[in-house]
Amino acid sequence: MSLEDSRRSMKNMIHVIMLVTVLISFLSLLLRSRVFVPGGVLSDMYVLSVPDGDLSAPPAVHSSKFCASNRTNTPLIIHAGPHKTATSTLQTLLEVNRHLMLKTAGLTYMGKFTKFNHKVCPEDVPFCLDQDFVNNATPDNVVEFETTMRAHLGGGGVLLSGEGFSKLVSAQNTQILPGHQKDLTLESLQGMQDCFDMTILLAYRRYFEWIVSAYNSLQKIRKGRISYEWPKEGGHYYGKDDDTKYGEGPDVRGDGGDGDDALEYDGTFKMWYEGLHDHEKCHNCNYNWVKFWGPQHHPTDWTARFFQQSFPGIRTRVYNLHQKGDFFSNVVCQTVPGAHKFCDALRLGEGAPVPALNPNAPFEHDRLAAAAHVAGLLATGPTRPQVRKKFLEAFPDVPSRPGMRYTCPAGKVLEQLLATSVKYERAVHEKYLSPPQGKKERKRFFHSLELEQSKSFDEYIQKKKFCNWDVDYIIEHDLEIRSWFKNIK
């Protein structure tokens, strides 16, 4: 046998040993653990509730194999979003300031890495956490992750960031997905709790802002999504386009499928929001991670509760996005344990700035183009991305056109949305953000918050952020736009 053959044989043998080790650990964990499912069904049909004020139910029993001979107090900080709470901005700031953080706080940043949305793992990082690892971990990369984490035991600590963690832990603690298997990433982190000093870091954003941002994110035009190509014959503007791992939608036709084809959803916030907790009103709406958080609690509160279920005793830190000052230094100084010197360095201006991220896509222009296609105005040939781009160039300011109309939620719906947002804000402050303790000071504090939120909500209404263009009306009554679609080549 040649030297090269010997090396190849040895490499294959190592891979087999790693796989067998992971399988044995996995089977052992299944036998030794029990899944705790919180009791009490929500008023809607999607999420099981965690009993209010009760996080003392019997926790799941986790494997301690990872920590068997390495019990330390090494910090492990997990930033888990949730989604649409400036996660990409924070991740990029952590990425470009990771050397300063290591130097001043001893913390190693292992991702999620955005590399300004290129998602390239830097050469100086031994293991890069990414969305694939959070959502679809394999035995091999779990072994690689755990090997890297063992090397940090007794050191300065590790900081991980990924909004996917909130989706993962929420899916694990609900019954939305019957028969859903335990996740390798979650199991691996649970096995580390005994030897790392864990902190879950979350951000709070007012609910009415968050829900609009969630809607906009789930409608983003991306290659591979339904909205990227023209609707199929008989279809409408937008349809269900959800994460296949986590499923979505009722089988309305009764044909055994996971939701029906794109026949109803018109892409509007009005219809999407109406179906948020009642999918019968919008069979084909894409809710993805939103569906795990029912109406009782704010998404940040839900995420914290679910982490406390999966990691009993974990320290929880919540950052309020609605405060003055520099975003990054505030996050570090207020929520990252042991990062005092890093905090000081940032406040002295030693940190690197972040570039602009998440540019807005021409969503309304795309809806109008799709409506023109459905109306039969477009000639065969131009693709949806081509028409969208040309239309945006030809009509960059559609809202300023005479007779412009919008589709908006009813006034009562918006009133209820504001009331819900105000209720959530009070609950999050009382539980996680330490409001004033004196009775009078506390009353003034929450009254001030409500006034501030109402003012911001009114600005959203004035800017039509809850509304969409009435594309059917525009196609029928704006003759210049109608003519443009007929003549595009």
Side-chain angles (χ1 to χ4, degrees):
M1 180 182 294
S2 67
L3 180 60
E4 184 63 29
D5 289 339
S6 297
R7 287 176 176 172
R8 188 179 298 109
S9 177
M10 180 63 70
K11 186 175 181 180
N12 291 338
M13 184 178 296
I14 290 173
H15 285 163
V16 170
I17 292 172
M18 289 171 61
L19 180 59
V20 170
T21 301
V22 171
L23 289 174
I24 291 173
S25 299
F26 180 67
L27 291 173
S28 174
L29 183 59
L30 287 178
L31 291 172
R32 296 166 58 187
S33 66
R34 62 183 185 274
V35 179
F36 171 70
V37 179
V41 180
L42 293 179
S43 57
D44 64 85
M45 62 181 181
Y46 300 107
V47 186
L48 290 188
S49 67
V50 178
D52 286 331
D54 179 15
L55 290 172
S56 60
V61 177
H62 307 307
S63 170
S64 60
K65 182 178 180 181
F66 182 92
C67 300
S69 59
N70 294 287
R71 297 183 181 277
T72 72
N73 290 318
T74 305
L76 173 54
I77 301 164
I78 304 172
H79 167 236
H83 303 73
K84 313 316 300 176
T85 56
T87 50
S88 295
T89 300
L90 181 56
Q91 287 159 357
T92 304
L93 282 164
L94 287 167
E95 177 180 353
V96 300
N97 288 284
R98 67 185 184 279
H99 300 298
L100 179 63
M101 183 171 69
L102 180 62
K103 177 182 176 182
T104 57
L107 288 169
T108 298
Y109 182 60
M110 288 169 48
K112 181 173 120 180
F113 282 88
T114 64
K115 205 64 178 179
F116 318 121
N117 289 337
H118 295 305
K119 302 179 182 178
V120 177
C121 184
E123 293 182 358
D124 61 293
V125 180
F127 179 90
C128 282
L129 179 124
D130 58 22
Q131 205 64 20
D132 287 338
F133 176 72
V134 174
N135 287 335
N136 301 291
T138 66
D140 282 350
N141 56 32
V142 166
V143 169
E144 183 183 359
F145 171 62
E146 292 186 349
T147 300
T148 304
M149 292 299 291
R150 281 193 181 92
H152 284 86
L153 284 171
V158 174
L159 196 155
L160 306 174
S161 178
E163 57 270 41
F165 285 126
S166 65
K167 178 177 179 178
L168 184 157
V169 76
S170 298
Q172 203 65 48
N173 284 282
T174 65
Q175 289 185 347
I176 296 175
L177 310 173
H180 177 60
Q181 298 297 312
K182 295 195 74 174
D183 189 279
L184 291 178
T185 304
L186 184 61
E187 288 177 347
S188 180
L189 289 170
Q190 287 171 328
M192 297 177 188
Q193 189 175 10
D194 287 343
C195 53
F196 280 97
D197 181 17
M198 282 192 177
T199 299
I200 176 66
L201 195 163
L202 304 170
Y204 164 73
R205 184 179 187 180
R206 284 173 178 150
Y207 184 71
F208 77 87
E209 292 185 13
W210 181 86
I211 198 64
V212 170
S213 183
Y215 159 78
N216 289 334
S217 176
L218 294 173
Q219 312 310 315
K220 275 185 178 179
I221 303 160
R222 292 175 180 165
K223 195 169 185 178
R225 282 188 170 181
I226 282 179
S227 59
Y228 195 78
E229 304 293 346
W230 294 122
K232 296 178 180 179
E233 184 177 355
H236 214 304
Y237 314 139
Y238 289 83
K240 187 182 78 65
D241 178 66
D242 206 359
D243 187 319
T244 56
K245 177 179 178 181
Y246 292 103
E248 178 77 80
D251 176 21
V252 180
R253 288 195 306 259
D255 59 2
D258 179 29
D260 290 343
D261 295 332
L263 297 175
E264 300 92 354
Y265 181 39
D266 60 6
T268 61
F269 175 79
K270 177 180 182 293
M271 189 173 187
W272 184 88
Y273 184 67
E274 287 176 353
L276 180 61
H277 298 303
D278 183 359
H279 281 194
E280 290 298 322
K281 293 182 178 180
C282 191
H283 300 148
N284 301 291
C285 286
N286 174 13
Y287 293 110
N288 204 323
W289 27 267
V290 178
K291 66 176 169 282
F292 294 110
W293 304 314
Q296 294 98 322
H297 310 294
H298 186 279
T300 298
D301 194 2
W302 272 121
T303 304
R305 288 166 181 263
F306 289 146
F307 261 97
Q308 291 161 7
Q309 293 286 2
S310 294
F311 298 84
I314 192 170
R315 182 188 297 108
T316 303
R317 297 279 179 87
V318 175
Y319 172 76
N320 181 12
L321 289 172
H322 305 283
Q323 58 179 297
K324 296 179 181 179
D326 177 70
F327 164 67
F328 189 43
S329 60
N330 280 346
V331 171
V332 171
C333 298
Q334 296 174 20
T335 63
V336 180
H340 310 297
K341 291 183 179 180
F342 186 32
C343 165
D344 293 340
L346 292 176
R347 288 185 168 168
L348 289 171
E350 298 178 22
V354 65
L357 295 173
N358 293 333
N360 292 327
F363 175 54
E364 294 298 324
H365 287 75
D366 180 74
R367 289 184 62 250
L368 191 53
H373 173 84
V374 172
L377 300 182
L378 293 171
T380 304
T383 65
R384 187 164 178 169
Q386 290 171 340
V387 173
R388 179 171 58 238
K389 182 176 183 295
K390 291 181 179 180
F391 180 64
L392 180 61
E393 293 170 351
F395 298 92
D397 193 17
V398 173
S400 67
R401 297 181 68 78
M404 182 65 181
R405 288 195 182 184
Y406 293 87
T407 299
C408 308
K412 289 185 178 180
V413 174
L414 292 178
E415 289 176 7
Q416 184 58 49
L417 173 56
L418 175 58
T420 299
S421 191
V422 169
K423 179 185 72 172
Y424 286 161
E425 181 153 77
R426 185 182 184 100
V428 169
H429 271 271
E430 288 180 336
K431 190 169 184 180
Y432 304 105
L433 296 175
S434 302
Q437 295 302 306
K439 186 176 181 180
K440 291 183 178 179
E441 292 82 1
R442 194 180 188 89
K443 184 177 181 180
R444 283 197 296 266
F445 174 77
F446 282 114
H447 179 66
S448 176
L449 279 183
E450 185 171 349
L451 290 177
E452 182 183 323
Q453 184 165 184
S454 296
K455 181 180 178 181
S456 181
F457 190 86
D458 287 341
E459 291 174 358
Y460 262 53
I461 291 177
Q462 294 300 319
K463 294 177 181 178
K464 306 290 186 185
K465 289 195 174 185
F466 301 113
C467 303
N468 300 88
W469 299 352
D470 188 339
V471 293
D472 293 323
Y473 179 86
I474 295 171
I475 287 297
E476 183 177 352
H477 293 89
D478 193 317
L479 299 182
E480 184 182 3
I481 288 180
R482 184 179 179 90
S483 175
W484 185 90
F485 279 118
K486 283 185 175 180
N487 293 296
I488 186 176
K489 297 180 181 179

